[in-house]
């Protein structure tokens, strides 16, 4: 007999496997397509478990029993969904009927419940005829619990040149969502399966049906790994469909929820079923916690698009009821969810409410008294923000009898600093109530232990882009000394599975060229390094250069995005700027250009606080016309197509309609990934690509930033504590303090002594510091800061205490602010008033697809040695300008000169007019300005044919004319022939 290699053969493999695991085989004749129930099997379950209630209903309904009873069940499922009906049962009159027995969290504590669970009947049926109107239509396979359908499957075989794609097409075109079996909520999920891959959908919508991959992933990408013991997809029926697993999904993951649109307030229903990696990570973490108990750290590296909010929700809820290895005691008393993103604060709270089966299990906490109250009231899940958490845990040392799970959303290195230290101190079980004398050594031990990982707290840190410190604090150390996350759903897999888009696919970089000129007679000296940094920032944030780049951005958006109607005509763009001043100037430029072109689209700007430029104060509200808190909501409106940002909205901002990004800011490492990832949210089926135009970074720099996070982020090695020993020795050799003084400071500090006692000791150190040579002062400050930074990090992760480290770090923390300030910006002060722009040009380089490899490891966190103050290099202003121009002004020609006509020739003609000079010398500023503007219009007429485009713009655009004449007047009036301001 030959092997059956057909699609029917796959059906038999699945069916036989399920029957071997305890399923019952049912014939398709047993299925009632009208009520969508295997009536015989349901009655069998009810007779076995609730026969008295069944007999009561039979007597009550008489000959109409089946008609009324099965109609009641079918109607209730249609109204509430299969999940709720199986979990809660239903009522027929005054009779409560259970349709399913839940699996208890502990078989030993709930023996009766465990026996009841075994009475559930899991069954499988092939070739199910589901349609009353078209009896010949059949579905490959359906799974049932107690006669109620929960999962449907269409199966395909790649050996016969059909795949899951054909199964998906079949669901979309030949499986009407109007059929009872395919109505939303009737089943948990619909699977399209072949021997290579699995896809799923929770709601059929005809051609608009969305199918998501339900694959393990392979080589950090899509698909499934080779299976030496069967088909690649057999995990679906051997693991996922196993009765205990399926019961767990039904009870702990699946849910029919209602979602309200924030704008329209329209409520829609949505069936939730976990994706493979979500199910896997929650189960793996729960098993690890069961084995290890509290006191451990877990890093979960899940890419954007992974559905992290649901993963956190499921984990939080299940941790509250999770038993230890004995099966008798909960591992944790309470779960605290900490999020650094305000939008997710509400989202996670709402999600937990939807999944929580007990009313009042969840509460938000904003202060410590609330946390204590909630714990005493039995609240199991407490949601707070990272900003609020230090206040929540303050002064609550009595919580040391509780075990806590802390779930951190988007864990970053900030968790390695003071905030995590406060968490540990407040939640630690360590008590110091010994009656013997408390020595300095005891105090130091207690102080360090308060910053350590306490045994009653476990951390679960979720992030898409773990930094080196995050990996070392929360990751798992390997035998080779590297650190890895506990679980990984990679950026590569998320892109290949189309949950997010590849933002590096259409990446265009620009290169700027510019020249400056010295506009004063004197030639003062400045610190060349700092001065050149200021010069470049000056050029890139100048109104004229911003206007040029703004035109490029708007032209690109209109030609490549807006007019081609990307994302079904709804596409939006983000402009990432280098500073608040830059953002304000971009907003002004965009407003002017869009108005000038008569476009009915607008730009919004987002930044913190306010700034005063040229005597006028700007903030979000005044520039946008509504409060800053409304930006996220207002940006959804169709008329707002550009969002100009300075720091705000570069992380944690999900807007699927964002299609293009214009970057005018240097982005490094994680910041580059987080910022550009604002574009990657999918919007199917309309959003097919993204565009990035980058004016500040090279393609190679962006590749190097993304590469470590593409597959799995690996920390090459842990931080070497001997670096701290080396810094300790180097600082001691500089004789700013003595060992005795260090011990005095820490002793008095831990005793709560007055500042009047500690300050004199520190001041003596300051006086010795002042006696050091300038170079040694720089070295001491550099190494002291490095030591304190390294200590704050290492004290949390090392398995031992080093008392002298703690004493020195505490002393340095309060000594550094007292040390005199060394040369900072003073040697470059005033340079911007002495120069101006001569020429500026920005050139587009080629658009490219930046290809990632993902083989880069991140280096350990730096712990010191690098200088934060550089020795000043004084140069003449003329030499600084020449050097700057040689670096940034190559390839410029006369045609590139901004000053050539508009900045030099034309205004000079005005200045030379005797009438203007007389007014300037003998009248006030206002009359001089009026004369300048009038003469400018007269002089410009002489050039109307040679400079027609500029003349036309000058005469027709009042806003531009006012801006230009104002600027030209200011440039002349600011300095007279001797470089001095004229009399006012």
């Amino acid at each position: 007999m030959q092997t059956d290699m057909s699609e029917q053969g796959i059906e038999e493999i699945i069916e036989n496997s399920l029957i071997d695991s305890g399923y019952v085989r049912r014939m398709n004749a047993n299925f009632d397509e009208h009520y969508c129930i295997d009536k015989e099997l349901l009655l069998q379950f009810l007779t076995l478990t609730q026969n008295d209630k069944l007999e009561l209903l039979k007597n009550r309904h008489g000959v109409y029993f089946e008609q009324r009873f099965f109609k009641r069940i079918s109607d209730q499922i249609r109204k509430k969904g299969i999940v709720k009906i199986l979990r809660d049962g239903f009522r027929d009159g005054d009779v409560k009927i259970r349709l399913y027995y839940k699996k208890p969290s502990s078989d030993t504590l709930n023996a009766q419940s465990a026996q009841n669970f075994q009475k559930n009947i899991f069954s499988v049926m092939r070739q199910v005829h589901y349609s009353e109107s078209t009896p010949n239509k059949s579905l490959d396979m359906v799974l049932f619990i107690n006669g109620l359908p929960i999962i449907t499957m269409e199966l395909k075989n790649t050996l016969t040149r059909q795949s899951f794609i054909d199964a998906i097409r079949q669901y979309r075109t030949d499986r009407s969502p109007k059929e009872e079996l395919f109505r939303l909520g009737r089943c948990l999920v619909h699977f399209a399966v072949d021997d290579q891959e699995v896809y799923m959908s929770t709601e059929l919508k005809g051609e608009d049906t969305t199918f998501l991959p339900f694959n393990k992933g392979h080589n950090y990408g899509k698909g499934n790994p080779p299976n030496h013991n069967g088909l690649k997809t057999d995990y679906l029926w051997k693991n996922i469909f196993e009765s205990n697993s399926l019961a767990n999904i039904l009870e702990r993951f699946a849910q029919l929820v209602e979602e309200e649109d924030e704008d329209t307030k329209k409520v829609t229903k949505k069936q939730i079923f976990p994706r493979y990696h979500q199910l896997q990570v929650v189960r793996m973490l729960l098993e690890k916690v069961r084995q290890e108990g509290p006191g451990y750290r877990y890093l979960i590296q899940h890419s954007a698009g992974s559905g992290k909010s649901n993963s956190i929700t499921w984990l939080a809820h299940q941790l509250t009821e999770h038993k230890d290895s004995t099966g008798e005691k909960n591992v944790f008393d309470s779960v605290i969810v900490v999020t650094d993103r305000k939008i997710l604060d509400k989202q996670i709270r709402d999600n937990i409410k939807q999944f929580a089966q007990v009313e009042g299990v969840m509460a938000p906490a904003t202060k410590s008294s609330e946390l204590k109250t909630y714990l005493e009231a039995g609240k199991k899940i407490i949601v707070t923000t990272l900003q609020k958490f230090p206040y929540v845990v303050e002064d609550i040392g009595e919580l040391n009898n509780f075990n806590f799970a802390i779930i951190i959303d988007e864990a970053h290195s900030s968790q390695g600093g003071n905030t995590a230290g406060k968490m540990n101190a407040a939640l630690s079980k360590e008590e110091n109530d010994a009656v013997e004398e408390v020595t300095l050594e005891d105090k130091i031990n207690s102080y360090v232990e308060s910053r350590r990982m306490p045994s009653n707290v476990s951390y679960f840190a979720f992030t898409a882009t773990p930094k080196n410190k995050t990996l070392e604090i929360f990751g798992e150390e390997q035998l080779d000394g590297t650190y890895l996350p506990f679980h990984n759903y990679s950026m590569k897999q998320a892109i290949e599975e189309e949950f997010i888009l590849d933002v590096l696919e259409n990446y265009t970089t620009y290169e700027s060229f510019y020249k400056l000129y010295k506009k004063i007679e004197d030639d003062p000296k400045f610190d060349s390094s700092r001065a050149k940094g200021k010069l470049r920032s000056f050029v890139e944030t100048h109104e004229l250069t911003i206007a040029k780049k703004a035109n490029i951005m708007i032209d690109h958006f209109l030609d490549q995005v807006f007019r081609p109607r990307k994302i079904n005509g709804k596409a939006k763009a983000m402009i990432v700027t280098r500073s608040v001043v830059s953002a304000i100037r971009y907003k002004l430029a965009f407003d002017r250009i869009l108005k000038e072109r008569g476009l009915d689209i607008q730009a919004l700007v987002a930044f913190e606080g306010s700034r005063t430029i040229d005597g006028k104060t700007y903030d979000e509200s005044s520039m946008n016309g509504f409060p800053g808190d409304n930006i996220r909501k207002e940006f959804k409106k169709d008329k707002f197509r550009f969002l100009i940002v300075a720091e705000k909205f570069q992380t944690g901002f999900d807007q699927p309609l964002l299609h293009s990004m214009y970057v005018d800011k240097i982005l490094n490492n994680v910041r580059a990934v987080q910022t550009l990832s604002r574009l990657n949210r999918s919007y199917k089926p309309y959003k097919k690509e993204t565009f990035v135009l980058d004016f500040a970074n090279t393609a190679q720099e962006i590749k190097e930033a993304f590469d470590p996070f593409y597959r799995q982020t690996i920390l090459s090695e842990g931080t070497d504590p001997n670096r701290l020993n080396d810094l300790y020795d180097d600082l001691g050799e500089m004789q700013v303090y003595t060992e005795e003084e260090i011990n005095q400071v820490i002793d008095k500090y831990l005793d709560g002594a007055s500042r009047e006692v500690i300050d004199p000791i520190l001041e003596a150190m300051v006086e010795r510091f002042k006696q050091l040579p300038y170079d040694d002062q720089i070295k001491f400050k550099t190494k002291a800061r490095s030591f304190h930074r390294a200590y704050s990090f290492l004290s949390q992760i090392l398995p031992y205490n080093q008392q002298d480290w703690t004493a020195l770090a505490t002393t340095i923390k309060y000594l550094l602010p007292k040390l005199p300030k060394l040369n900072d910006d003073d040697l470059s002060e005033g340079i911007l008033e002495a120069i101006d722009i001569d020429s500026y040009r920005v050139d587009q380089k080629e658009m490219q697809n930046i290809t990632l490899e993902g083989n880069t490891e991140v280096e350990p966190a730096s712990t010191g040695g690098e200088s934060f103050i550089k020795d000043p290099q004084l140069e003449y202003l003329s030499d600084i300008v020449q050097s700057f121009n040689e670096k940034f002004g190559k390839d410029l020609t006369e045609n590139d000169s901004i000053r050539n006509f508009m900045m030099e020739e034309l205004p000079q003609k005005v200045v030379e007019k005797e009438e203007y000079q007389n007014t300037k010398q003998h009248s006030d500023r206002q009359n001089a300005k009026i004369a300048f503007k009038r003469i400018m219009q007269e002089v410009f007429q002489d050039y109307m044919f040679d400079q027609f485009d500029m003349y036309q713009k000058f005469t027709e655009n009042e806003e531009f004319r006012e801006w230009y004449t104002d600027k030209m007047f200011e440039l002349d009036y600011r300095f007279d022939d001797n470089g001095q301001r004229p009399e006012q």
Side-chain angles (χ1 to χ4, degrees):
M1 182 178 179
Q2 294 180 332
T3 302
D4 188 347
M5 304 294 283
S6 67
E7 178 183 311
Q8 184 178 348
I10 295 179
E11 278 187 36
E12 291 179 358
I13 289 174
I14 297 174
E15 183 185 48
N16 291 335
S17 176
L18 290 173
I19 290 170
D20 289 344
S21 71
Y23 275 68
V24 174
R25 179 188 284 115
R26 299 291 290 170
M27 298 296 104
N28 55 19
N30 296 124
F31 185 71
D32 186 306
E33 58 268 24
H34 178 71
Y35 295 117
C36 216
I37 296 173
D38 181 342
K39 295 189 293 184
E40 180 183 322
L41 206 61
L42 176 58
L43 291 174
Q44 181 181 326
F45 166 76
L46 293 175
T47 301
L48 177 66
T49 60
Q50 301 153 81
N51 190 51
D52 54 339
K53 296 179 179 179
L54 192 63
E55 289 300 320
L56 177 62
L57 290 175
K58 285 181 178 180
N59 291 331
R60 180 177 297 173
H61 296 310
V63 295
Y64 299 105
F65 165 71
E66 284 203 9
Q67 177 184 343
R68 292 175 178 175
F69 183 68
F70 291 121
K71 182 180 186 302
R72 175 66 178 167
I73 295 174
S74 185
D75 288 347
Q76 285 289 288
I77 294 174
R78 179 180 288 196
K79 180 180 179 181
K80 299 178 181 179
I82 188 65
V83 175
K84 188 168 182 60
I85 291 301
L86 284 174
R87 284 178 179 171
D88 301 341
F90 75 103
R91 289 186 181 276
D92 187 340
D94 59 343
V95 179
K96 175 69 181 291
I97 299 292
R98 289 178 178 270
L99 296 174
Y100 166 79
Y101 283 103
K102 297 178 182 178
K103 181 175 176 58
S105 56
S106 171
D107 290 349
T108 56
L109 293 178
N110 302 283
Q112 184 58 52
S113 295
Q115 291 177 16
N116 286 338
F117 175 74
Q118 295 301 322
K119 295 176 182 177
N120 291 313
I121 305 171
F122 291 78
S123 62
V124 55
M125 187 182 295
R126 291 168 57 183
Q127 296 304 316
V128 179
H129 294 269
Y130 59 85
S131 176
E132 284 189 284
S133 59
T134 316
N136 62 326
K137 282 194 173 184
S138 65
L139 189 68
D140 286 339
M141 189 170 286
V142 179
L143 305 187
F144 298 78
I145 293 181
N146 301 326
L148 301 176
I150 56 168
I151 291 174
T152 77
M153 282 186 284
E154 290 288 359
L155 307 175
K156 301 300 172 187
N157 180 16
T158 58
L159 293 181
T160 57
R161 300 187 181 278
Q162 285 201 314
S163 71
F164 70 89
I165 296 174
D166 299 285
I168 289 174
R169 186 183 301 114
Q170 201 167 5
Y171 269 119
R172 285 175 174 165
T173 61
D174 201 34
R175 302 290 179 254
S176 172
K178 294 180 180 180
E179 295 283 357
E180 190 61 36
L181 184 61
F182 301 126
R183 288 183 184 274
L184 175 64
R186 171 62 75 166
C187 292
L188 299 180
V189 65
H190 309 282
F191 281 109
V193 185
D194 65 27
D195 51 292
Q196 302 289 315
E197 296 191 56
V198 179
Y199 275 69
M200 70 173 188
S201 177
T202 55
E203 181 178 7
L204 299 188
K205 298 180 180 179
E207 292 284 2
D208 295 330
T209 303
T210 298
F211 272 84
L212 307 178
F214 192 83
N215 297 312
K216 290 183 173 183
H218 178 48
N219 193 25
Y220 302 104
K222 67 178 182 178
N224 289 298
N227 180 5
H228 301 298
N229 299 309
L231 301 180
K232 281 186 178 182
T233 53
D234 69 6
Y235 61 89
L236 183 66
W237 52 89
K238 289 183 177 178
N239 304 125
I240 305 301
F241 293 165
E242 189 273 328
S243 58
N244 289 289
S245 169
L246 201 51
N248 173 253
I249 293 173
L250 172 65
E251 296 169 24
R252 306 287 184 176
F253 293 90
Q255 189 83 347
L256 182 66
V257 300
E258 292 185 345
E259 294 184 343
E260 181 180 84
D261 186 273
E262 185 179 340
D263 300 318
T264 65
K265 304 303 179 183
K266 181 181 178 181
V267 177
T268 57
K269 289 185 177 181
K270 180 180 179 181
Q271 177 74 45
I272 295 176
F273 193 89
R275 287 152 59 182
Y276 182 83
H277 68 272
Q278 293 173 317
L279 188 65
Q280 184 187 45
V281 71
V282 172
R283 287 178 169 178
M284 288 175 64
L285 286 169
L286 292 173
E287 178 58 23
K288 200 74 170 175
V289 165
R290 189 187 67 80
Q291 295 173 2
E292 297 180 338
Y296 292 87
R297 306 175 185 182
Y298 309 95
L299 177 63
I300 299 93
Q301 182 179 357
H302 278 196
S303 167
S306 67
K308 189 149 42 65
S309 294
N310 275 340
S311 298
I312 289 173
T313 298
W314 287 319
L315 178 63
H317 186 230
Q318 294 183 50
L319 282 174
T320 63
E321 303 174 356
H322 199 52
K323 304 296 182 184
D324 60 17
S325 56
T326 67
E328 298 178 358
K329 180 184 177 184
N330 284 352
V331 179
F332 299 108
D333 297 286
S334 184
V335 178
I336 300 175
V337 181
V338 186
T339 173
D340 198 21
R341 294 185 280 175
K342 293 179 182 178
I343 187 67
L344 277 186
D345 182 17
K346 181 179 184 299
Q347 186 177 351
I348 291 172
R349 282 191 280 114
D350 291 347
N351 279 356
I352 288 174
K353 284 181 181 178
Q354 290 172 343
F355 284 100
Q357 298 304 299
V358 180
E359 185 67 27
V361 73
M362 192 280 309
T366 57
K367 50 191 177 182
S368 59
S369 59
E370 288 181 338
L371 181 56
K372 288 187 287 186
T373 301
Y374 292 151
L375 286 168
E376 290 167 358
K379 301 290 185 182
K380 293 293 187 178
I381 301 172
I382 298 162
V383 180
T384 188
T385 62
L386 184 62
Q387 292 81 3
K388 296 172 186 172
F389 197 86
Y391 304 101
V392 171
V393 301
E394 201 169 313
D395 299 326
I396 48 174
E398 63 267 28
L399 297 180
N400 52 28
N401 291 322
F402 292 92
N403 287 336
F404 291 89
I406 299 178
I407 302 176
I408 306 168
D409 171 55
E410 284 297 334
H412 296 304
S413 57
S414 61
Q415 290 300 323
N418 293 333
T419 304
K422 288 182 181 180
M423 291 185 195
N424 291 342
L427 303 176
S428 175
K429 275 186 172 178
E430 297 296 327
E431 297 181 13
N432 295 286
D433 53 1
V435 294
E436 62 189 68
E437 180 185 0
V438 179
T439 64
L440 174 61
E441 180 176 340
D442 294 328
K443 294 177 187 176
I444 291 177
N445 286 338
S446 174
Y447 186 60
V448 173
E449 285 294 326
S450 74
R451 294 169 171 263
R452 287 254 173 116
M453 181 70 189
S455 59
N456 64 323
V457 179
S458 285
Y459 289 102
F460 304 83
F462 285 76
T463 180
T465 51
K467 296 180 180 179
N468 43 22
K469 283 188 177 181
T470 309
L471 272 162
E472 192 164 356
I473 294 172
F474 297 106
E476 294 186 329
E477 185 175 7
Q478 309 299 301
L479 294 176
D480 61 0
T482 60
Y483 287 77
L484 297 177
F486 173 81
H487 192 272
N488 178 39
Y489 177 75
S490 71
M491 181 192 301
K492 180 176 185 284
Q493 186 172 352
I495 291 172
E496 290 183 359
E497 292 187 340
E498 298 182 354
F499 286 110
I500 59 174
L501 285 85
D502 183 359
V503 299
L504 305 184
E505 192 171 27
N506 301 299
Y507 208 96
T508 304
T509 53
Y510 282 75
E511 188 171 3
S512 297
F513 303 97
Y514 27 75
K515 286 184 180 179
L516 305 176
Y517 73 97
K518 183 171 71 73
K519 67 181 185 183
I520 61 173
E521 292 294 330
D522 294 339
D523 200 8
K525 285 186 173 182
F526 297 97
D527 177 2
S528 61
S529 177
R530 296 179 185 276
K532 289 175 182 177
K534 281 191 171 184
L535 293 180
R536 186 169 188 187
S537 178
F538 166 77
V539 173
E540 295 290 1
T541 59
H542 194 281
E543 293 111 313
L544 294 176
T545 58
I546 281 180
K548 191 174 187 72
K549 288 181 281 190
N551 271 296
I552 292 172
M553 296 171 186
I554 291 172
D555 284 341
H556 175 271
F557 185 79
L558 293 176
D559 294 341
Q560 304 297 326
V561 183
F562 185 70
R563 292 184 182 122
R565 296 186 56 78
K566 298 291 186 180
I567 317 186
N568 200 30
K570 297 183 179 295
K572 299 175 183 287
M574 177 181 282
I575 296 88
V576 179
T577 70
R578 64 187 63 218
S579 66
V580 171
V581 171
S582 182
I584 291 170
R585 287 178 172 162
Y586 264 112
K587 167 65 171 165
L588 295 172
F590 267 71
D591 286 351
R592 176 177 56 80
I593 296 168
L594 294 172
K595 181 180 179 182
E596 186 179 296
R597 298 191 185 190
L599 296 168
D600 192 26
I601 56 176
Q602 299 177 34
L604 297 177
V605 67
F607 58 88
E608 295 289 352
S610 62
R611 292 292 188 280
T612 301
I613 303 175
D614 296 333
K616 184 174 181 180
T617 301
Y618 299 91
D619 59 25
E620 289 176 334
S621 300
S622 63
M623 299 195 81
N624 293 326
F626 51 80
D629 290 344
N630 294 349
I631 291 176
R632 189 185 299 269
K633 181 178 179 180
E634 290 291 324
F635 189 53
K636 293 179 180 180
K637 295 181 178 178
D638 198 51
K639 66 178 179 179
F640 296 119
R641 295 305 179 104
F642 301 100
L643 180 60
I644 302 165
V645 302
E647 290 301 325
K648 289 185 72 172
F649 297 109
Q650 283 182 235
T651 60
F653 177 56
D654 292 340
Q655 173 47 267
L657 297 179
L658 268 182
H659 177 279
S660 299
M661 182 175 286
Y662 304 102
V663 180
D664 192 20
K665 176 183 181 178
I666 295 174
L667 298 172
N668 295 315
N669 305 323
V670 172
R671 176 62 83 171
V673 181
Q674 291 173 342
T675 300
L676 294 173
S677 293
R678 296 312 99 212
L679 287 183
N680 65 18
R681 295 330 191 246
S682 63
Y683 191 86
K684 293 182 178 181
Y686 303 111
K687 189 174 179 181
K688 302 181 186 302
E689 79 289 294
T690 63
F691 289 143
V692 178
L693 270 63
D694 195 329
F695 294 83
N697 308 277
T698 67
Q700 182 61 31
E701 288 167 343
I702 296 299
K703 173 180 168 57
E704 290 173 359
F706 268 77
D707 243 344
F709 308 104
Y710 185 55
R711 295 172 183 262
Q712 176 172 257
T713 309
I714 303 171
L715 177 64
S716 59
E717 60 178 331
T719 304
D720 183 1
N722 284 321
R723 298 182 191 180
L724 209 53
N725 282 327
D726 294 342
L727 286 169
Y728 184 92
D729 293 341
D730 291 345
L731 287 167
E733 290 174 1
M734 304 185 80
Q735 298 182 353
V736 171
Y737 51 79
T738 66
E739 185 175 346
E740 182 181 1
E741 287 173 326
I742 296 296
N743 285 331
Q744 285 179 344
V745 170
I746 187 67
D747 190 16
K748 295 182 185 305
Y749 174 76
L750 294 177
D751 268 339
S754 167
R755 276 197 59 180
E756 294 174 327
V757 177
I758 297 177
D759 268 34
I761 306 173
L762 297 175
E763 291 295 345
M765 300 179 192
V766 172
E767 291 304 314
R768 292 189 206 111
F769 173 84
K770 291 178 179 178
Q771 303 305 314
L772 295 175
Y774 180 77
D775 288 349
D776 286 348
Q777 290 181 0
I778 291 176
K779 290 177 182 176
F780 182 86
K781 268 198 166 185
T782 302
K783 292 180 182 294
R785 288 189 176 185
S786 298
F787 181 89
H788 187 266
R789 185 168 58 247
Y791 170 81
S792 297
F793 175 58
L794 287 170
S795 64
Q796 299 176 73
I797 61 175
L798 294 179
Y800 48 85
N801 301 342
Q802 192 76 10
Q803 299 159 20
D804 47 1
W805 286 358
T806 304
L808 179 56
T810 305
T811 302
I812 284 174
K813 178 180 179 180
Y814 299 105
L815 173 62
L816 279 171
K818 288 180 170 290
L819 297 180
K821 185 178 181 181
L822 303 180
N823 286 325
D824 195 2
D825 279 346
D826 50 305
L827 292 181
S828 63
E829 197 67 40
I831 192 169
L832 299 184
E833 286 73 30
I835 54 90
D836 211 334
I837 300 176
D838 180 289
S839 309
Y840 177 81
R841 190 184 80 225
V842 58
D843 286 352
Q844 177 181 327
K845 305 181 84 173
E846 64 176 345
M847 179 188 290
Q848 57 184 296
N849 179 0
I850 301 177
T851 304
L852 300 177
E853 298 165 4
N855 298 321
T856 308
E857 296 181 351
V858 294
E859 297 299 320
S862 173
T863 55
E866 60 274 25
S867 177
F868 68 97
I869 299 177
K870 295 184 178 179
D871 293 339
Q873 301 293 324
L874 297 179
E875 292 184 22
Y876 288 107
L877 174 60
S878 56
D879 292 334
I880 293 173
V881 171
Q882 180 180 350
S883 173
F884 186 85
N885 288 340
E886 287 173 355
K887 181 175 182 181
F888 295 107
K890 60 183 179 180
D891 300 330
L892 280 173
T893 67
E894 283 301 308
N895 291 330
D896 300 308
S897 177
I898 295 174
R899 274 174 66 262
N900 213 25
F901 173 69
M902 297 296 287
M903 299 293 289
E904 283 189 358
E905 186 175 350
L906 181 61
Q908 187 61 32
K909 290 290 184 182
V910 178
V911 171
E912 290 172 355
K913 293 291 184 179
E914 184 177 352
E915 180 186 350
Y916 171 65
Q917 288 297 329
N918 288 336
T919 308
K920 178 180 175 182
Q921 294 299 322
H922 303 295
S923 188
D924 59 16
R925 177 189 181 94
Q926 185 61 27
N927 284 326
K929 187 174 185 179
I930 293 171
F932 184 91
K933 289 187 173 184
R934 179 174 51 79
I935 296 169
M936 169 70 77
Q937 295 186 54
E938 296 173 357
V939 171
F940 214 149
Q941 291 181 11
D942 297 335
Y943 294 90
M944 63 181 296
F945 296 109
D946 295 334
Q947 300 286 344
F948 178 76
D949 290 341
M950 290 307 303
Y951 177 75
Q952 185 180 36
K953 183 174 183 179
F954 181 83
T955 55
E956 295 180 0
N957 189 325
E958 181 181 355
E959 187 176 352
F960 170 74
R961 181 170 66 251
E962 291 297 315
W963 172 82
Y964 173 68
T965 51
D966 284 348
K967 290 298 178 184
M968 294 306 99
F969 172 74
E970 291 295 333
L971 286 174
D972 174 71
Y973 198 80
R974 187 178 297 173
F975 297 98
D976 65 11
D977 292 339
N978 296 318
Q980 302 296 320
R981 290 187 182 277
E983 295 295 329
Q984 298 298 314

